[in-house]
Amino acid sequence: MFCWRHSFTSSLKTHMSFCSYRGNLVMFQSEKEKKKQLSKEDKKALQEEKLKQEEKYMWAIVDGVKE
């Protein structure tokens, strides 16, 4: 009897064994260190900029009312 779950997981494990995420880890760690070294004012400015970019996704207009 053919079990698709077994074939999927075994092939996925084979393909994932070739992946290396070391570069991503190094990049995220360096970004984290850069953020730690920023001053309080710079951190606040980054937070405000991020909030401004996400503002349009925070609200929905339903029946002409902003919710």
Side-chain angles (χ1 to χ4, degrees):
M1 183 171 153
F2 178 73
C3 179
W4 64 272
R5 289 182 184 151
H6 175 61
S7 67
F8 178 73
T9 56
S10 66
S11 67
L12 182 62
K13 288 178 187 176
T14 302
H15 293 296
M16 293 301 287
S17 67
F18 294 112
C19 296
S20 173
Y21 296 102
R22 181 76 179 151
N24 292 347
L25 178 64
V26 171
M27 182 189 69
F28 286 125
Q29 287 176 341
S30 67
E31 290 293 320
K32 187 175 180 180
E33 287 299 318
K34 286 179 187 176
K35 285 183 181 181
K36 278 185 179 181
Q37 294 175 359
L38 290 175
S39 67
K40 190 173 183 178
E41 294 83 20
D42 292 336
K43 287 180 185 178
K44 187 167 182 146
L46 284 174
Q47 180 74 18
E48 289 175 0
E49 184 178 329
K50 181 180 175 185
L51 187 64
K52 188 189 306 182
Q53 290 176 352
E54 293 176 351
E55 181 71 30
K56 61 183 173 184
Y57 302 110
M58 292 180 162
W59 304 100
I61 298 177
V62 179
D63 296 330
V65 178
K66 189 176 182 179
E67 294 185 9

